[in-house]
Amino acid sequence: MTTKLFAISALLPLSAHAAKFAISARPFGEVDNTKTELYTLSNESGAKVSITNYGGTVTSIVVPDKEGKMGDVVLGFDTVAEYVEKSPYFGCITGRYANRIAKGKFSIDGKEYTVATNNDPNHLHGGLKGFDKRVWKANLGNDGDNPTLTLTYTSPDGEEGYPGTLKNTVTYTWTQDNSLRIDYRSTTDKPTVLNLTNHSYFNLAGEGSKTVLDHSLQVNAKHYTPIDSTSIPTGISPVSGTPFDFSKSTRIGERIDQEDDQLKNGKGYDHNFVLKKEDDGKLMTAAMVTEPTSGRFLIVKTTEPGIQFYSGNFLDGPAGKGGKIYPHRSAMCLEAQTFPDSPNQKEFPSAVLRPGEAYTQTTIYQLGVSN
Ligand code: GLA
């Protein structure tokens, strides 16, 4: 196995930047007869993120705790074969339509389309072979002091039943302040629907730690979208007076096992929160998570109108990195997105993309420690 390691100081006049970051790449195994690679972007402090071009998957994020000890805060696997075989969407780019489309049907301009009902009776995360299962083209670079990985994938017209040739670019930037910035851009040659997100599973105490029930969460939302028993939204409701009120930082475990129809439908938290009704393209703070033992925090900023909070309800103990077991609720996802089932729900922000337009979204996962 070869490892390419180079510091950008070698590429710039030495006076300009003294090794502010490093990028390495190594083979990660073959999928569909195509080689995949694992890229590691490190900043000056040694904090780093690893991403494979298989599914654009973030496989690790290594950041300090309050004692300065480095730890990996996302769930994942050591080999690409395990991602192919059993990943519950760990760290991937999820698309074309992240989250659910009711009964796998939607219409655009009066024409009906059918997509796979891979989450019976609904469509989930782009279907049988979504963006998480594709090998993306990769380009390494930098944005001044920050290393970048730009991934591209062209999804052919009709792939997984969706109309239009969709050209996608996703750029990951790992900044000096331990933020993972994700910029998405897509264009189409036919009207289509689109909802991209990143599906990282966080445990701020370190992956392989017990549940996230002692993490505290704050969400910048006064409303959420309740769901039916198949996880399809039934409208928009206030969070006030419900276990979904995270307007003040609250322990995730505090209300998760309450007798509540919504928690029952989601088997815990698996709901979209309304950050704003329209996608106005402005970056806003969507959520903040804190973990008491490590002192770590996570701030999520996004341009998207919604964020899905999923409390790892379907995690059932797969063996992950280094053979560590990932039990029920041992991680949480905060998936910035447009609302689930938007193609079928007129009062939700539109998920339609037309030729000549560009879909853009930015989400930032900022990691840090509280003093
Ligand atoms: C999303 C969904 C969940 C589940 C996970 C993957 O968060 O909302 O219901 O499917 O992905 O297991």
Side-chain angles (χ1 to χ4, degrees):
M1 196 181 290
T2 56
T3 300
K4 288 176 264 171
L5 184 68
F6 52 91
I8 199 68
S9 54
L11 308 175
L12 290 173
L14 277 177
S15 57
H17 296 269
K20 282 270 189 189
F21 65 84
I23 301 176
S24 66
R26 70 165 174 89
F28 200 49
E30 275 193 20
V31 180
D32 298 338
N33 299 318
T34 311
K35 286 186 178 129
T36 67
E37 295 216 298
L38 187 68
Y39 306 96
T40 298
L41 316 181
S42 316
N43 64 22
E44 198 174 20
S45 73
K48 57 191 178 184
V49 56
S50 296
I51 303 165
T52 169
N53 59 329
Y54 175 68
T57 301
V58 176
T59 63
S60 80
I61 302 180
V62 177
V63 286
D65 66 8
K66 63 183 176 197
E67 316 291 347
K69 196 169 159 257
M70 292 288 187
D72 187 349
V73 296
V74 292
L75 275 52
F77 298 110
D78 291 322
T79 62
V80 80
E82 290 164 283
Y83 281 97
V84 173
E85 186 196 317
K86 61 177 179 189
S87 181
Y89 302 94
F90 283 167
C92 62
I93 299 167
T94 319
R96 289 191 189 192
Y97 203 93
N99 217 314
R100 292 172 180 79
I101 297 177
K103 301 196 168 63
K105 292 208 181 298
F106 61 91
S107 296
I108 309 172
D109 303 335
K111 188 162 188 266
E112 190 176 83
Y113 297 92
T114 303
V115 286
T117 49
N118 56 320
N119 188 236
D120 193 34
N122 302 314
H123 180 75
L124 179 70
H125 294 334
L128 300 176
K129 195 163 177 179
F131 287 2
D132 59 301
K133 296 178 183 67
R134 304 284 170 183
V135 180
W136 295 57
K137 278 211 181 78
N139 264 300
L140 294 164
N142 68 89
D143 143 20
D145 285 343
N146 306 316
T148 60
L149 172 67
T150 299
L151 299 169
T152 52
Y153 175 66
T154 298
S155 174
D157 185 17
E159 186 177 76
E160 286 293 323
Y162 292 98
T165 309
L166 192 72
K167 291 187 176 167
N168 307 280
T169 304
V170 177
T171 300
Y172 285 105
T173 305
W174 180 237
T175 73
Q176 295 298 331
D177 73 346
N178 299 350
S179 293
L180 180 63
R181 178 184 168 114
I182 316 172
D183 292 291
Y184 306 76
R185 187 175 196 279
S186 304
T187 55
T188 183
D189 61 359
K190 281 185 192 161
T192 193
V193 294
L194 179 60
N195 184 27
L196 301 184
T197 194
N198 177 275
H199 210 299
S200 287
Y201 282 65
F202 290 94
N203 185 320
L204 298 182
E207 50 90 35
S209 305
K210 52 182 176 56
T211 72
V212 288
L213 300 180
D214 285 337
H215 287 46
S216 288
L217 172 69
Q218 186 169 8
V219 184
N220 191 1
K222 292 196 170 67
H223 295 85
Y224 78 119
T225 53
I227 51 176
D228 67 15
S229 61
T230 75
S231 293
I232 294 297
T234 54
I236 295 177
S237 292
V239 293
S240 161
T242 77
F244 295 83
D245 189 349
F246 284 96
S247 53
K248 292 200 192 82
S249 183
T250 308
R251 221 173 54 84
I252 290 170
E254 192 164 312
R255 300 163 299 189
I256 200 168
D257 290 321
Q258 275 181 11
E259 256 319 297
D260 177 273
D261 283 350
Q262 280 305 312
L263 289 170
K264 202 165 135 204
N265 284 351
K267 303 193 170 44
Y269 293 104
D270 194 359
H271 295 74
N272 168 63
F273 286 74
V274 178
L275 301 172
K276 43 195 178 184
K277 216 144 168 258
E278 294 308 322
D279 180 5
D280 62 7
K282 290 204 186 86
L283 202 58
M284 69 177 269
T285 299
M288 171 151 182
V289 186
T290 53
E291 196 285 312
T293 58
S294 64
R296 291 193 183 96
F297 67 76
L298 166 70
I299 294 173
V300 187
K301 295 180 188 162
T302 188
T303 55
E304 286 298 278
I307 195 161
Q308 180 89 1
F309 165 39
Y310 169 58
S311 52
N313 312 313
F314 301 117
L315 273 176
D316 55 2
K321 286 178 272 191
K324 286 190 212 88
I325 300 298
Y326 296 145
H328 187 223
R329 295 186 178 153
S330 62
M332 58 184 296
C333 303
L334 286 164
E335 308 156 46
Q337 55 174 356
T338 192
F339 303 177
D341 198 36
S342 292
N344 294 309
Q345 309 222 14
K346 293 220 160 40
E347 68 281 18
F348 289 178
S350 170
V352 175
L353 180 71
R354 295 181 182 279
E357 298 172 348
Y359 164 94
T360 57
Q361 81 117 311
T362 298
T363 295
I364 298 174
Y365 291 118
Q366 183 185 351
L367 289 141
V369 282
S370 332
N371 294 318

